[in-house]
Amino acid sequence: MSQASTQEQGQCLCGAVRFSAHVAKREIGVCHCSMCRRWSGGVFMGVECEDVSVENENALGIYSSSEWGERCFCKTCGSTLFWRSKDGSHTAVSVQAFENPASFSLVSQIYIDEKPDCYSFSQATQNMTGAEFIAMITSAEQKHD
Ligand SMILES: [Zn+2]
Ligand SMILES: [Zn+2]
């Protein structure tokens, strides 16, 4: 945590949902799991954030995708916005929702074993299979899905 946390602004495609979030590390983690791909229409490129505050909560749709996780989107335009844990300990914001996605770097890919062969990223990243990721978060007492 040597980097200072910065406050970033973001929004959905139509602008009905606007938010601000604290970003500690300008790092993107991609998830190739089938749920994230179906939800995002691509791959989910998440940035771990703290204190995400949404300007108009009524505009935010929330889909409960598992016992511990939920997926937030714009009720009007359908933009993929955040994955968060229900206990509030963990929020991953879609890098594409921020004003300047180019200011972040792709550092990790999870559920690499669920990635379809039709695409791949050229960056050198830390890659984990779903099983490796679950083992890691279980030991850190955090869960994803
Ligand atoms: Zn919208
Ligand atoms: Zn996923």
Side-chain angles (χ1 to χ4, degrees):
M1 291 286 178
S2 55
Q3 281 174 296
S5 127
T6 59
Q7 177 123 4
E8 300 292 323
Q9 311 299 316
Q11 66 167 78
C12 67
L13 180 60
C14 76
V17 178
R18 291 175 197 276
F19 64 92
S20 64
H22 280 100
V23 175
K25 289 183 181 176
R26 309 194 74 77
E27 294 182 347
I28 300 167
V30 163
C31 184
H32 298 285
C33 85
S34 60
M35 292 175 79
C36 283
R37 285 186 286 104
R38 188 157 268 149
W39 171 51
S40 65
V43 293
F44 182 58
M45 305 182 86
V47 176
E48 188 65 42
C49 291
E50 288 155 27
D51 305 323
V52 178
S53 94
V54 176
E55 221 172 85
N56 181 4
E57 293 273 359
N58 292 335
L60 192 69
I62 298 170
Y63 173 66
S64 171
S65 57
S66 75
E67 253 178 79
W68 55 78
E70 56 194 20
R71 295 168 187 267
C72 304
F73 56 94
C74 172
K75 284 182 190 169
T76 304
C77 69
S79 297
T80 293
L81 297 171
F82 335 121
W83 179 91
R84 65 189 182 194
S85 60
K86 289 179 182 173
D87 66 7
S89 64
H90 190 73
T91 303
V93 174
S94 170
V95 72
Q96 312 296 4
F98 284 124
E99 299 302 328
N100 187 11
S103 67
F104 296 83
S105 308
L106 179 56
V107 299
S108 64
Q109 301 183 57
I110 61 170
Y111 286 83
I112 196 76
D113 52 320
E114 290 191 27
K115 183 185 79 60
D117 289 336
C118 57
Y119 68 83
S120 57
F121 295 113
S122 60
Q123 284 94 338
T125 57
Q126 188 200 346
N127 296 349
M128 274 183 271
T129 64
E132 286 166 346
F133 180 69
I134 286 168
M136 186 194 79
I137 58 172
T138 304
S139 59
E141 289 182 310
Q142 291 178 334
K143 289 191 165 73
H144 173 76
D145 246 339

